[in-house]
Amino acid sequence: MKCRSFRWSHLIIMLSTQDKLVAWLLIGVLAILTIFFNMYLLLVNYRSYRKKHKLNPADFIITAIAIASISQQVLTYSWQTMDVIDTVCQISLVEAILLVLVFSVKLIIFWSTAFLTFYYGTKLVVEPVHCYTRIQEAIVKHVHIVLTVIVVSGFANCVPLLSVLTYYNGTTELGDCGSIMPSDTPGLVYVFYYVVISDIIPGIVMFKCSISISYHLAKHLLDMKASSNGTHGPKLGTQMRVIKMTLSLVFVYSCFVVVDIYTQTTVVLMRQNTLALIMLFASIYTTVSAFVLIYGKKSYWKELIASYNLFLDEYPCLNKMKVEEVKHEPHEHSHGH
């Protein structure tokens, strides 16, 4: 089988066994990083919970994202390992179940991230919007219930995918066990429905919240600059850090969702064996987003950098790799983070 072949109508990307092996190795490295970052988030939040006997809504949502991200990486690596080893699809049903679980957890991660963006949008944008504000307050007040609904919906919406995958397991020559290649209309309609609820709608929520945050941030900065007559730049401290984190999450998601939709199109419509690429890009997303979440909270970031530098102290030859720690920072006001 050729690794890549071309047609005039569109680009055909065929993954060889070597390509899948490379993707498997990369996913393994990303899984280690993702699990490390998210375990760090979980441990810090657990320590905070033991001190305060509760978690604020933002930390609770981040905890849910961390658990889902770790689960996704474990499931992704397991599926990729079976796909590389089981070339004749002898255990195709197991691989199909794993694939459905991966897509279910991915939906949960996206919606939880959208919910986190929505939460910060509600906290940072203080200008009332009448009825819409009441809806926001009601949602934010019941974070636990909303996350439970997201988790249940994530699995419930992906159950039909199992029938599509199981039926076509082992029937293609592309070597992807349980690939998403429905030929009937109901199957195609379902895949389109999944893309809309898992990629597009969460993206719209995040994009809307990022616009609101950016607009009110710009307005706030202009007001602060006018009140100080431009004598010094406005300082928002932790609030600005949270804003940067939120906008970064939206940017990372925007980049990922474009690639994700395209790779899913290559599988479903072009009938290519690029499921490994979908898994790889999803792993990259979870790794980067976990890093952004750590950076978004000053205490998390400072502690991680301090631990990293302390680790390098044990190896003098690596001293040049140390990251400078900020010792003195302006007074900051926390805004729900």
Side-chain angles (χ1 to χ4, degrees), residues 99-119:
L99 193 60
V100 171
L101 291 175
V102 169
F103 277 78
S104 299
V105 177
K106 188 172 76 165
L107 189 152
I108 293 171
I109 292 173
F110 291 170
W111 270 103
S112 298
T113 305
F115 185 36
L116 181 65
T117 307
F118 176 86
Y119 172 80

Side-chain angles (χ1 to χ4, degrees), residues 110 113-114 117 202-211 213-214 242-260 284-285 288-289 292:
F110 291 170
T113 305
T117 307
I204 292 174
V205 173
M206 284 191 256
F207 190 64
K208 186 272 171 190
C209 292
S210 67
I211 291 176
I213 293 173
S214 300
V242 172
I243 290 171
K244 289 179 179 179
M245 181 203 73
T246 306
L247 296 180
S248 297
L249 283 175
V250 176
F251 174 76
V252 171
Y253 181 83
S254 300
C255 294
F256 168 77
V257 76
V258 173
V259 178
D260 188 53
I284 294 173
Y285 170 79
V288 175
S289 60
V292 172

Side-chain angles (χ1 to χ4, degrees), residues 38-50 55 59 297 299-300 303:
N38 285 288
M39 282 300 298
Y40 176 77
L41 287 169
L42 290 176
L43 289 174
V44 174
N45 281 340
Y46 176 69
R47 186 178 62 189
S48 176
Y49 175 79
R50 292 194 63 180
L55 288 176
D59 286 341
K297 190 162 187 177
S299 58
Y300 288 17
E303 187 173 342

